[in-house]
Amino acid sequence: MAEYDYLIVGSGLFGAVFAHEAKKKGQKCLVIDKRNHKGGNVFCEQIENINVHKYGAHIFHTNDKEIWNYVNQFVEFNRYTNSPLAFYKNEIYNLPFNMNTFYQLWGVKTPEEAKYKIEEQVKASGITNPQNLEEQAISLVGIDIYEKLIKGYTEKQWGRKATELPSFIIKRLPVRFTYDNNYFNDKYQGIPIGGYNKLIEGLLEGIEVRLNVDFFANRKELTKLAKKIVFTGKIDEFYNNQFGSLEYRSLKFETKILDQENFQGNAVVNYTESQIPYTRIIEHKHFEFGTQKKTVVTYEYPDEWSLGKESYYPVNDNKNNAIYNQYKTLSEKDNTVIFGGRLAEYKYYDMHQIIASALQKSKIFL
Ligand code: FAD
Ligand code: UDP
């Protein structure tokens, strides 16, 4: 007889939400994680009394009241609104692309003038049916913004030409003709007061978690422990890479403690020119309006992925999507394993989408 109903591989948001829902239904769960902490990529480490987002800046946002209420059961959120700045050749521009950006670039003051300027550039480009990220970006905001704020950032972030990338990536960013620097269009947004660990602790309360346990190091024994598995690791790894390895983009983080109160005056500054090797500098205290004497900053460097490195972003181009679809077909025949999350579904999911997906799967399977 198996000791647990579910073995949940991965204590990130997907695993934690599924485990919480399973426990509510009276199911006995064991969560394992190969890292030495819970929470996956939303994990925060306290340094100088500041919550440092260890795996990159995480801003919670959603349009879905149910998801917002769900996370608010575990932790209260502050009123943080993400308004990153872009640094290009010693100039600062507002993001996302809005009237402030258009004024800074062209001196235009009205939406009509800005629209005219963009339309003029789109017409000159001759693009009518965008086929890739470059064409999509130019047809949304014109050539000036593409060259100053998108091309360099995108190509270093993804290690590929913008012409080889899918257009959906750039559609994540709003384009608006109002003076509004909010990076997201969603109704609800904020940072958990006290950090993301509080959210994870709340979700996993009363559930057994074993850290530093890699599923693949002891697959047979671990599988025997439970009736079913929820797998949130890499789907290609689960199936021994039999259809080939999926490609990812990796990152390197360089974190510094600075003996000053305020380094850059904003939580997120993007560096959009190709010559600067990092994509952004995060000053963590500003997510929580911190007033500590010191500050902690993280430089985020895109990194070529290879086996063994952290897999942060799926590369959802046609080649990789075709490989993923083979794994997905295989997984659909397997009724003892539920695959979920960014790595197992090979999808560029945000946190709210992960929670929605975990809740949906828990409704189907539990
Ligand atoms: P993960 O958090 O990756 O968790 C998977 C867990 O499984 C990990 O802890 C891993 O150690 C464990 N695991 C994997 N394989 C094994 C194994 N073999 N054995 C044991 N354990 C295993 N979303 C937003 O909404 N807003 C943002 O601002 C935002 N910013 C982001 C910035 C960066 C740099 C990145 C990379 C992502 C960002 N996201 C953001 C997305 C967000 O991180 C994800 O949507 C979410 O954390 C994914 O949760 P998950 O549970 O699917 O995966
Ligand atoms: N992007 C850009 N310039 C910026 C910010 C973003 O060109 O200053 C593009 C880039 O291609 C990036 C995509 O928009 O990969 C999505 O940006 P987002 O901030 O959503 O990326 P994430 O936080 O998920 O890394």
Side-chain angles (χ1 to χ4, degrees), residues 9-15 32-35 37-42 55-61 172 184 196 213-216 231-234 237 251 253 280 300 310-313 340-343 349-352 354:
V9 181
S11 65
L13 263 183
F14 191 98
I32 59 165
D33 204 295
K34 63 181 179 185
R35 293 183 181 165
H37 60 75
K38 304 172 204 174
N41 288 343
V42 308
Y55 301 94
H58 278 76
I59 300 101
F60 196 91
H61 56 98
R172 287 170 59 86
F184 303 111
Y196 284 93
V213 177
D214 188 333
F215 177 70
F216 297 112
F231 186 78
T232 75
K234 288 160 61 178
E237 205 177 358
L251 298 170
F253 299 105
R280 39 193 177 191
E300 189 172 317
E310 284 288 351
S311 310
Y312 286 110
Y313 293 91
R342 226 187 205 204
L343 301 172
Y349 272 139
D350 279 333
M351 292 181 278
H352 60 292
I354 289 284

Side-chain angles (χ1 to χ4, degrees), residues 20-49:
H20 183 81
E21 294 305 305
K23 180 173 181 276
K24 271 204 306 209
K25 294 260 165 76
Q27 304 288 302
K28 193 175 174 198
C29 299
L30 170 64
V31 178
I32 59 165
D33 204 295
K34 63 181 179 185
R35 293 183 181 165
N36 64 1
H37 60 75
K38 304 172 204 174
N41 288 343
V42 308
F43 171 70
C44 294
E45 187 186 357
Q46 280 239 328
I47 304 177
E48 297 293 337
N49 213 19

Side-chain angles (χ1 to χ4, degrees), residues 95 133 149-150 153-154 157-158 169-170 172-173 183 270 272 280 313 342 348:
L95 291 173
L133 195 154
L149 304 181
I150 299 175
Y153 186 101
T154 296
Q157 165 73 1
W158 294 97
I169 295 176
I170 200 65
R172 287 170 59 86
L173 271 49
Y183 202 56
N270 290 358
T272 59
R280 39 193 177 191
Y313 293 91
R342 226 187 205 204
Y348 192 173

